[in-house]
Amino acid sequence: MAVGQIGNFLAYTAVPTVLVTPLGALGVPFGSILASYLLKEKLNILGKLGCLLSCAGSVVLIIHSPKSESVTTQAELEEKLTNPVFVGYLCIVLLMLLLLIFWIAPAHGPTNIMVYISICSLLGSFTVPSTKGIGLAAQDILHNNPSSQRALCLCLVLLAVLGCSIIIQFRYINKALECFDSSVFGAIYYVVFTTLVLLASAILFREWSNVGLVDFLGMACGFTTVSVGIVLIQVFKEFNFNLGEMNKSNMKTD
């Protein structure tokens, strides 16, 4: 798992966020396939279809994703972080988090799954940009550039934001798993989390600026296909549904 997270971190420093984040869903079909062989867990026909859709949607995402990075240096990152549009977005997210954590979650969190999902997903909009920013700042620190001191300060700030965000996310993910089915939570969480992360990345890094209409529609279709696949794998995995039973029912009907 540690090696996987290191690879995920390196991916954020090498390719656009709009590609890396949705492709994180590939862990679900691969995990389901391995579990069916190694742990003898049952993978029904809907789960197999979900695996196929997740892989097909990922291929579409790769084909239509932005071909180049919009932010490649620490100086460009600092400029993006101080952009009034992004600062305004952060203020809105922080206000929503305060309302959700201190007022809405205590009253409605245990009965409404969207409360905990919204908190974790909004915090995710800090996690992914922070991860990418740490990678960019680390490049200047390792190469001993003239701006390495500023890069170190930026890296420490982003590490603090990342750490706080992850700790709070873990807390509310555990709360959600105590109250709701993990399969339903995982499927909805993936869709909402990825959508908000893509929104935050689009505002901060402007990765969509060089994407044409065809590529935009292709990525939207790819993301939708992956999301449907994740729902089929997670939500319907307990259904006792296979082709053999369908054939038997058809024979009885005849």
Side-chain angles (χ1 to χ4, degrees):
M1 289 180 67
V3 173
Q5 291 304 317
I6 292 172
N8 195 44
F9 175 80
L10 294 174
Y12 278 116
T13 65
V15 297
T17 309
V18 296
L19 176 61
V20 180
T21 305
L23 288 183
L26 283 175
V28 176
F30 289 154
S32 299
I33 293 171
L34 288 173
S36 68
Y37 284 103
L38 300 179
L39 304 179
K40 306 304 179 183
E41 293 185 2
K42 189 175 181 180
L43 186 64
N44 60 26
I45 186 65
L46 293 178
K48 294 175 182 177
L49 178 60
C51 293
L52 179 62
L53 288 175
S54 298
C55 294
S58 299
V59 172
V60 175
L61 281 170
I62 293 171
I63 292 173
H64 293 282
S65 66
K67 301 301 184 291
S68 61
E69 284 277 26
S70 59
V71 178
T72 56
T73 65
Q74 176 244 331
E76 292 177 345
L77 176 63
E78 289 183 1
E79 182 182 350
K80 298 290 185 183
L81 289 172
T82 55
N83 186 286
V85 177
F86 182 69
V87 172
Y89 171 78
L90 285 184
C91 293
I92 294 173
V93 170
L94 288 173
L95 179 61
M96 293 176 66
L97 283 170
L98 290 174
L99 290 173
L100 285 167
I101 292 174
F102 294 106
W103 281 278
I104 299 177
H108 304 287
T111 57
N112 191 329
I113 193 172
M114 290 306 299
V115 175
Y116 292 143
I117 286 177
S118 298
I119 293 174
C120 296
S121 300
L122 287 170
L123 287 167
S125 63
F126 293 106
T127 303
V128 174
S130 295
T131 303
K132 190 174 182 70
I134 290 169
L136 291 173
Q139 293 178 8
D140 284 352
I141 296 172
L142 294 175
H143 289 90
N144 291 322
N145 290 339
S147 59
S148 59
Q149 192 65 36
R150 291 183 61 183
L152 178 61
C153 295
L154 177 62
C155 187
L156 293 175
V157 171
L158 292 177
L159 277 173
V161 172
L162 181 63
C164 293
S165 175
I166 290 175
I167 291 171
I168 299 174
Q169 282 184 73
F170 276 146
R171 179 186 177 187
Y172 283 96
I173 286 174
N174 288 330
K175 283 179 174 287
L177 294 178
E178 291 175 358
C179 303
F180 305 102
D181 182 79
S182 60
S183 301
V184 177
F185 173 80
I188 300 175
Y189 177 53
Y190 166 75
V191 176
V192 179
F193 173 85
T194 305
T195 301
L196 289 178
V197 167
L198 292 179
L199 175 62
S201 301
I203 295 173
L204 176 60
F205 299 114
R206 309 283 180 88
E207 292 173 335
W208 294 98
S209 57
N210 297 323
V211 176
L213 179 61
V214 174
D215 287 332
F216 175 80
L217 293 175
M219 290 202 69
C221 292
F223 175 55
T224 303
T225 304
V226 173
S227 299
V228 172
I230 296 300
V231 170
L232 289 176
I233 297 170
Q234 295 281 74
V235 178
F236 298 102
K237 67 180 181 180
E238 300 297 333
F239 279 45
N240 189 14
F241 181 77
N242 55 56
L243 289 176
E245 292 182 354
M246 289 181 62
N247 292 331
K248 289 179 181 179
S249 63
N250 289 334
M251 290 174 64
K252 289 179 181 180
T253 303
D254 294 339

